[in-house]
Amino acid sequence: MAETDTGVAAGGLGKIIGDAVIAFNHANVMYPLVTAKQTVKGAITVQFPDYTKIASSSVDAVADGADQSSVTSITTAARSATISEHVIRADVTDLAVMGNAEDLTGNVGRILGNAVAAKLDDDLVELGKTFSQTECGAGSSLALSHIFGAMRQLRAASAPFPYNLVLSPKQVWGSKGIIGLLHNSALDTAGSSTTDTATARPLGLMGAKGEEAMANGMVGSIAGFNVYWSDQIDEDVSSGGDAAGFAFSKGAIGLGVGANGLFRIESERNASFRSTEYVATGFWGEVEIKDAFGVYILSDVS
């Protein structure tokens, strides 16, 4: 059993220490972006109806007074998300708590809660790999044309706005990422005369978006997409150095939430071990609702 005792919680034992330095995951990215529905007591499955698109060819021109004999069916498919438990546990000994000037017990709850939230993001971003529509591809560098290509596919599917673009850190800030597409490297410009000397220009920015990227290190939107990033996205798909970003409309992904809420943290006293068990549990299930409302953007980030 891996207990949190004085052997492993030595960071604050018998010392005057500064604020705790805790490495948290960048979590809670996906939850606001997907279609979420909570179950009711007595059920652990949420169904999301997927309506089939009716083509304009189903609409007939009918003469005045004539009967419309053709009947169009409104069809739906049921996409089911079954709730499952996602659990992490930490045991903290009494001696570790007594010997720590830090709020060890309080930090344990924050750390476990963040881990569960990161797992939720991880489960949801994995669905990005399942979209059958694709842009870019393994071994190919991301280009603005791929972003517009994803927009084209979502619009062709009549996917409702807003549109979201969720990328990995390297797909945003890496040498082959989206920020790099918004500026040129240092340029040399020379006059028309052969005697003119070249003048170094430190950077060429691509309009307002390039300036936004340079000022903020991030762009909030591009090509009609709201831009997000998640550190749970796989950046080495099939060990090929490719990152699994994706674009989607809210109706593409469904999240079923447990009847008692998304997650909880509980503690239980274990007197014989002189310790307290902390257990964080997430209750959710995820499902792809409408494949045409998402686009898988696999790009080289190596």
Side-chain angles (χ1 to χ4, degrees):
M1 181 182 296
E3 283 196 318
T4 305
D5 56 20
T6 56
V8 296
L13 288 176
K15 301 175 179 66
I16 297 174
I17 58 176
D19 292 338
V21 179
I22 302 172
F24 286 111
N25 293 291
H26 178 64
N28 296 321
V29 176
M30 292 294 296
Y31 182 78
L33 308 181
V34 302
T35 300
K37 183 69 175 179
Q38 189 169 7
T39 63
V40 297
K41 288 188 180 296
I44 60 169
T45 300
V46 177
Q47 283 195 339
F48 298 91
D50 175 10
Y51 282 80
T52 301
K53 182 180 178 180
I54 297 178
S56 60
S57 57
S58 298
V59 181
D60 301 323
V62 180
D64 183 24
D67 179 45
Q68 168 60 304
S69 58
S70 298
V71 179
T72 300
S73 297
I74 307 299
T75 60
T76 65
R79 312 299 183 190
S80 298
T82 300
I83 308 301
S84 61
E85 295 179 322
H86 307 77
V87 187
I88 185 171
R89 168 182 162 181
D91 294 358
V92 182
T93 67
D94 296 348
L95 197 58
V97 174
M98 286 188 286
N100 263 274
E102 254 297 308
D103 181 15
L104 183 59
T105 56
N107 289 335
V108 166
R110 295 167 59 204
I111 292 169
L112 296 185
N114 179 255
V116 173
K119 177 59 177 174
L120 173 61
D121 274 349
D122 181 64
D123 285 355
L124 291 172
V125 299
E126 279 297 303
L127 288 179
K129 295 178 180 178
T130 67
F131 294 135
S132 59
Q133 300 181 122
T134 63
E135 284 291 337
C136 205
S140 298
S141 297
L142 186 66
L144 288 175
S145 60
H146 299 130
I147 308 300
F148 285 107
M151 173 64 68
R152 172 188 60 79
Q153 295 194 65
L154 293 181
R155 284 184 174 271
S158 300
F161 283 103
Y163 293 167
N164 304 304
L165 182 64
V166 183
L167 302 174
S168 81
K170 287 183 179 179
Q171 283 181 309
V172 176
W173 296 285
S175 59
K176 300 175 183 178
I178 196 170
I179 297 296
L181 301 177
L182 300 178
H183 71 271
N184 299 314
S185 56
L187 301 175
D188 287 337
T189 56
S192 58
S193 171
T194 56
T195 59
D196 289 345
T197 56
T199 302
R201 194 168 65 188
L203 202 65
L205 300 177
M206 195 186 84
K209 283 299 170 183
E211 294 174 1
E212 181 183 349
M214 182 56 58
N216 302 325
M218 181 68 181
V219 287
S221 63
I222 190 169
F225 288 100
N226 297 318
V227 181
Y228 302 91
W229 67 276
S230 172
D231 54 13
Q232 300 303 309
I233 289 179
D234 186 357
E235 292 190 319
D236 194 21
V237 176
S238 300
S239 301
D242 301 304
F246 56 99
F248 71 108
S249 174
K250 190 169 187 175
I253 296 174
L255 176 69
V257 178
N260 293 327
L262 189 59
F263 78 96
R264 70 179 180 219
I265 299 178
E266 299 175 285
S267 61
E268 183 178 6
R269 182 69 185 154
N270 193 330
S272 64
F273 280 96
R274 289 88 59 210
S275 65
T276 302
E277 298 174 7
Y278 294 88
V279 179
T281 309
F283 302 91
W284 68 77
E286 68 285 344
V287 66
E288 180 187 287
I289 301 175
K290 202 167 191 66
D291 183 68
F293 285 5
V295 181
Y296 182 28
I297 304 177
L298 182 68
S299 70
D300 176 37
V301 293
S302 61

